[in-house]
Amino acid sequence: HLQLIKPFMTMLTSIKAHLALLLLLSHDHCVDAQCTVPTGLDTLDTLRPGTLAQVEAMRANVPFLWLPYAFPFINEIIKPETPIRFRIGQIHGSTVYNAVARYHLTALDIWGRNMFRICQPTTAQEELDYKLHEVITAAYTFYYSGISIMDTVEDIIKPIFSEVVGLNPDLLMLDPPDQSTPWGIAKMVADDMTESLKADGWNADGKLTAKHNPLPFSDFSFVGANGASYEPYDIDTTPRTKDHWPWAPLMDSDGMGHFSKQQHVTPFIGFTGRLYGMNRSHYESFTSPPPQYDYEAETKVVLERTRKMASNDTQKALLEYFDSKYTSILPLQIDYSIGAKDSEFEFWYADMVLVNTMYDAVLLVWKEKVRHNAARPTTIVHELLGDKLVDTYAGPLMQAQFIPATEWQPFIRTMPHAEYPSASACICTAYKETMVLLNEGEDDIGLENPLTHTVPGKMMLRCQVCLYLESHSR
């Protein structure tokens, strides 16, 4: 893991500088003289009397109108495999940013395009209506983008959106969408994003693999018009040596009688996925050094670590909590923005920078994972030690015992992708470095609890936390 931190920091600095220049250019030509007068607030009250009063009451109790359904949405994001989670996060954060950027005088969208803007207020009452219009637009875009990306989330967040927040989801179905209304803006930017995803190199609909009964995110072969090509990932079955131990698929089980043999998840994205922050030549120029594993020594370390973990309930709880970066480190951005009293635009600008940086980091580390194709610890332990008895973690509720090495499993499921470089190291470094940059270079970020208004102290955003947990879980 530590071999990669320094070169990844250099890569991340380039991503963040590129995004900052691309997405927030304060040039005079960015100011659009033809602005759109905001409308629609009276429609909300006409369709459901008392809507604006309910929304205002909600705003008085939560910093952001979308907050009541944010965490149910995040809990759905963690269900797909790791790289797909970060694709969803990138799509969603970028879409909401594109919506609220229309209320900014100079901000460009994530593709660097100028766009129609909502007219700036000129009176005190217009200022109040303008801010309300913006937060309702963000709430509609969060909701509509979420259900557009993952249709399974609609039944979960629709009741919250409609009954708790008080907004009418049916307005999103009006055709054509009115770009002066919150729901019209939400539908336009989300549909625009959906259209762009048809050729983002992820094979999300599976049709690059098969026209009929396609399997989403399945591997495929590709030859581009410029001669660039990609061939599907093949499992390396050549003999293992101490310097050559390639990734091998493990058996997965849901604990309910369903068993499956792993396939390397999205091995193609590092070669075919669309970048949103790095330019292609810089991306292609980056390579990580070959891993320098002493497999016999590493095997002893991982078995000892899991032996100690077996009787440590606190460590188990931390491993489960930090296993998903989306439900552990990412909500820190929400806490930070609440403590900093960020505006709607400030929050979504920061979120857009974060999710795009982490997304590009995932593509970069996936390219290197496939190139090095290193085996996971589970494979090494099983193949190197065989039936030798080892004192280590014996399974749920069994703590540590002497067991055959072939029966050893880590506490957290081994994900279906090659070991090196560490995705957790790269993603956590991307997150930490970006948060520090957004905090004007300060590594210590004081967070105020928005509910109790107490200050629990300063939180150190350090990638070492993720590295430690990664090394103790798999």
Side-chain angles (χ1 to χ4, degrees):
H1 301 324
L2 295 176
Q3 295 177 46
L4 293 178
I5 295 301
K6 197 167 185 178
F8 271 129
M9 284 181 177
T10 303
M11 174 273 292
L12 292 166
T13 300
S14 172
I15 293 176
K16 291 175 290 190
H18 184 78
L19 285 168
L21 290 171
L22 176 66
L23 300 167
L24 200 55
L25 294 174
S26 298
H27 294 167
D28 290 340
H29 73 267
C30 293
V31 179
D32 192 351
Q34 299 298 319
C35 61
T36 300
V37 176
T39 67
L41 295 185
D42 56 341
T43 302
L44 287 171
D45 255 348
T46 300
L47 290 175
R48 184 186 294 173
T51 293
L52 293 185
Q54 182 176 350
V55 168
E56 288 289 10
M58 179 61 64
R59 287 182 72 200
N61 289 291
V62 297
F64 301 110
L65 201 57
W66 41 262
L67 202 56
Y69 47 93
F71 290 100
F73 173 69
I74 291 172
N75 284 334
E76 287 297 299
I77 290 180
I78 66 175
K79 293 180 179 179
E81 295 289 352
T82 297
I84 297 166
R85 299 175 193 174
F86 285 92
R87 177 180 183 266
I88 293 171
Q90 186 276 329
I91 296 167
H92 188 261
S94 297
T95 302
V96 186
Y97 165 80
N98 279 354
V100 299
R102 298 173 189 276
Y103 295 83
H104 194 277
L105 279 172
T106 60
L108 306 179
D109 69 11
I110 66 160
W111 294 289
R113 302 179 307 192
N114 203 357
M115 53 197 162
F116 79 82
R117 301 183 188 278
I118 298 299
C119 294
Q120 296 291 306
T122 57
T123 68
Q125 184 58 50
E126 284 183 359
E127 175 74 19
L128 293 173
D129 290 344
Y130 178 86
K131 290 181 177 178
L132 183 59
H133 203 273
E134 182 184 22
V135 299
I136 292 176
T137 295
Y140 265 100
T141 311
F142 189 115
Y143 170 78
Y144 184 63
S145 174
I147 65 174
S148 298
I149 303 167
M150 298 182 69
D151 54 10
T152 57
V153 80
E154 183 171 6
D155 289 343
I156 298 170
I157 67 174
K158 185 175 182 179
I160 305 173
F161 180 80
S162 177
E163 302 304 324
V164 177
V165 180
L167 297 177
N168 186 348
D170 295 338
L171 293 173
L172 290 161
M173 299 301 106
L174 296 177
D175 194 33
D178 182 349
Q179 69 178 22
S180 69
T181 65
W183 45 92
I185 295 172
K187 184 164 176 44
M188 289 178 65
V189 296
D191 288 349
D192 183 38
M193 180 64 74
T194 299
E195 184 64 26
S196 76
L197 299 174
K198 293 180 179 179
D200 72 345
W202 280 71
N203 197 23
D205 61 4
K207 292 185 178 179
L208 291 175
T209 307
K211 293 181 179 180
H212 307 289
N213 299 312
L215 298 175
F217 302 104
S218 53
D219 205 0
F220 61 94
S221 59
F222 172 79
V223 179
N226 62 354
S229 63
Y230 168 77
E231 291 297 324
Y233 175 87
D234 282 329
I235 296 174
D236 187 342
T237 58
T238 57
R240 275 67 169 144
T241 68
K242 65 182 181 66
D243 298 318
H244 174 74
W245 213 312
W247 181 82
L250 299 169
M251 183 68 74
D252 266 339
S253 169
D254 64 356
M256 303 292 288
H258 177 75
F259 297 88
S260 59
K261 201 69 173 285
Q262 290 180 345
Q263 296 287 321
H264 197 297
V265 60
T266 59
F268 47 86
I269 59 172
F271 308 94
T272 65
R274 178 186 295 155
L275 296 168
Y276 284 90
M278 296 184 75
N279 64 62
R280 179 59 63 173
S281 60
H282 183 202
Y283 176 86
E284 294 292 349
S285 69
F286 180 87
T287 58
S288 55
Q292 302 296 319
Y293 289 131
D294 179 336
Y295 284 119
E296 290 188 3
E298 294 286 348
T299 297
K300 292 177 182 178
V301 170
V302 73
L303 291 175
E304 176 62 13
R305 283 177 174 171
T306 52
R307 184 191 68 79
K308 292 179 178 178
M309 176 274 304
S311 57
N312 188 329
D313 290 339
T314 300
Q315 190 174 352
K316 291 177 184 177
L318 288 170
L319 290 169
E320 290 176 339
Y321 177 73
F322 282 100
D323 180 45
S324 168
K325 309 306 176 284
Y326 262 90
T327 54
S328 55
I329 65 170
L330 201 59
L332 294 178
Q333 180 221 346
I334 298 177
D335 291 341
Y336 170 75
S337 295
I338 292 172
K341 296 180 172 56
D342 282 350
S343 67
E344 199 76 50
F345 176 82
E346 288 169 336
F347 175 86
W348 287 108
Y349 176 72
D351 186 80
M352 174 274 300
V353 175
L354 272 170
V355 297
N356 278 280
T357 302
M358 291 190 292
Y359 167 91
D360 277 7
V362 168
L363 262 61
L364 184 61
V365 79
W366 238 252
K367 172 171 73 76
E368 295 301 290
K369 277 183 178 293
V370 171
R371 190 170 72 86
H372 291 293
N373 199 33
R376 303 306 296 258
T378 309
T379 300
I380 302 296
V381 170
H382 290 181
E383 295 185 1
L384 184 64
L385 301 182
D387 290 328
K388 179 181 178 181
L389 292 180
V390 292
D391 184 14
T392 188
Y393 172 62
L397 305 178
M398 300 179 70
Q399 298 195 358
Q401 298 180 27
F402 280 93
I403 64 173
T406 52
E407 295 182 10
W408 176 80
Q409 293 291 334
F411 182 69
I412 298 293
R413 169 186 176 244
T414 301
M415 301 303 178
H417 55 73
E419 171 72 11
Y420 174 89
S422 165
S424 290
C426 186
I427 293 164
C428 291
T429 303
Y431 180 89
K432 184 255 186 177
E433 290 294 300
T434 304
M435 284 295 291
V436 169
L437 181 72
L438 292 170
N439 196 44
E440 299 180 350
E442 290 295 325
D443 191 44
D444 293 349
I445 299 177
L447 298 179
E448 180 181 3
N449 186 316
L451 300 179
T452 63
H453 301 287
T454 60
V455 180
K458 292 187 175 182
M459 182 175 298
M460 301 296 288
L461 294 175
R462 297 188 183 279
C463 59
Q464 282 93 330
V465 174
C466 291
L467 294 176
Y468 173 83
L469 292 165
E470 170 77 5
S471 67
H472 282 67
S473 63
R474 295 181 181 84

